[in-house]
Amino acid sequence: MFKLANIIKYKPLIIALWFGLSLFAVGKSVVLGHSHIHNNYFVYKYNFINVIHQHNLYQHQPEHYFDLNHYGPIFSFIIAPFALMPDSLGVVLWVMFTAFILLIAIQQLPIKKNHSLLIVLLCAHELMTSAANVQINPLIAALILFSYIFIKNENDFWAALMIALGTFIKLYGIVGLAFFFFSNNKLKLVGSFIFWSVILFVLPMVISSPAFIVQTYKDWYADLVHKNLNNIASIREDVSVMGMLRKIFFPQLSNMFVLFPGILLFALSYIRIKSFNNLNYQLLIVASTLIFPVIFSTGSESPTYIIAFVGVAVWYINSERPVTILDISLLIFALILTSLSPSDLFPRYLKDHYVDPYALKALPCFLIWIKIIYETLFRKFDKKDLIAVAV
């Protein structure tokens, strides 16, 4: 019988699968010359170019890409090395870079090596979906994980950079502050966050101008407000709990009727103060933090779920042993409906007539998130529950 401990024997195969699926997804479109699939990459590329030339980052540029840029000006520094390359090379290396950063973050979690490999295996297909759409989300997931990892290792200065960088790129990174209570030096974390926020605000001025960057942040705010309104009417976006409820039951449902209870439940997870130093409890909060901004955001699309699915995998490896039928069922449900539904392995009729129109990709992650909240409130945490850190 297969034992989880034996998964370490398959490490080369799992790592090859992690990079291979993503490389196949992006490489196929490059080889076939389907450059329109790389629209997100062109959005990223012109974030850098527009900062350099001081063009409004949030206006339509149909001569270069469709859709709009929704990322902060600091992202221009991240994408710059790839933007300077030929497009066919830059897009492939960008996808490989984001896959690599997320892999490193998963491997740095304070868990056993076989558990980290299981996370990689469980998330490989979801990463492929992100890669096929040349998404930034694996990087955002990595920054959230690094926020926790640095706090866990008492490197609050660098944890603050991860939180600030994620926030200044795509706002999602602000959820890294959820790990604030795990810090042993909270004043240093707060001071470092303020320091890095100032640095990241000012840094784009080096390659542009102060006046332009200040205006850019004003434009970014207006863009995000406008995007939120448009997301609600979109089938491709609003793959969230609110979107699911709107598309199935209540077309006029206000976000706040769902978001406010969600925030309250998330906050309720912190009432067990005595468990703050328990690794199992912390990993539940990590899983919850990765899932929450995806399932409660109107901007979530199918490729965004690489962030949430890492949370699903972290929750599963942290489940109480022996694993219950309920936990296994929830994981299988997530693998089928969340991870496999965008692929050709999933029945096209169900995808086109049910999963996409009703934002059902959010359902398994929502159910798992509710289970995580329940565990943070009622699970018994003691020494025998601790996950041993691999040396």
Side-chain angles (χ1 to χ4, degrees), residues 54-268:
Q54 300 187 35
H55 295 158
N56 190 316
L57 272 64
Y58 308 105
Q59 288 184 342
H60 284 283
Q61 290 187 296
E63 68 275 20
H64 301 305
Y65 53 84
F66 57 90
D67 205 348
L68 286 167
N69 170 56
H70 302 296
Y71 308 102
I74 193 61
F75 182 55
S76 60
F77 282 87
I78 306 295
I79 197 64
F82 308 95
L84 295 172
M85 298 176 186
D87 291 337
S88 58
L89 178 61
V91 69
V92 171
L93 291 182
W94 166 253
V95 168
M96 292 295 98
F97 167 73
T98 58
F100 174 74
I101 291 297
L102 181 54
L103 175 65
I104 295 301
I106 292 170
Q107 291 177 332
Q108 292 300 311
L109 284 169
I111 57 179
K112 293 179 180 179
K113 291 182 180 179
N114 56 351
H115 284 157
S116 65
L117 279 176
L118 182 58
I119 293 174
V120 171
L121 182 61
L122 291 173
C123 295
H125 188 272
E126 193 64 38
L127 180 69
M128 181 184 180
T129 299
S130 176
N133 292 271
V134 195
Q135 284 280 345
I136 193 177
N137 294 303
L139 174 62
I140 301 301
L143 291 174
I144 295 171
L145 288 178
F146 278 126
S147 300
Y148 167 71
I149 291 163
F150 280 122
I151 286 175
K152 179 69 177 175
N153 294 334
E154 300 189 2
N155 293 320
D156 296 81
F157 182 73
W158 297 113
L161 173 59
M162 300 298 105
I163 299 169
L165 186 59
T167 304
F168 275 75
I169 291 175
K170 196 186 173 178
L171 294 189
Y172 277 23
I174 195 67
V175 299
L177 289 174
F179 312 129
F180 171 80
F181 295 105
F182 303 152
S183 171
N184 291 325
N185 197 336
K186 296 177 177 61
L187 286 178
K188 182 178 180 180
L189 181 62
V190 172
S192 299
F193 180 74
I194 295 172
F195 169 79
W196 284 117
S197 295
V198 172
I199 294 297
L200 296 180
F201 182 87
V202 172
L203 194 57
M205 299 177 186
V206 175
I207 59 174
S208 186
S209 74
F212 174 76
I213 295 302
V214 170
Q215 182 59 47
T216 293
Y217 280 105
K218 295 178 182 178
D219 295 337
W220 191 24
Y221 173 78
D223 168 75
L224 293 176
V225 171
H226 184 260
K227 182 177 184 292
N228 181 62
L229 294 174
N230 288 341
N231 289 340
I232 295 174
S234 172
I235 292 180
R236 184 171 62 90
E237 296 175 316
D238 201 12
V239 185
S240 63
V241 177
M242 297 88 77
M244 185 172 56
L245 292 175
R246 263 191 291 266
K247 293 167 182 177
I248 299 176
F249 302 111
F250 313 108
Q252 304 303 320
L253 179 69
S254 169
N255 286 337
M256 292 310 299
F257 282 110
V258 180
L259 186 57
F260 186 67
I263 293 173
L264 285 180
L265 283 175
F266 188 86
L268 197 62

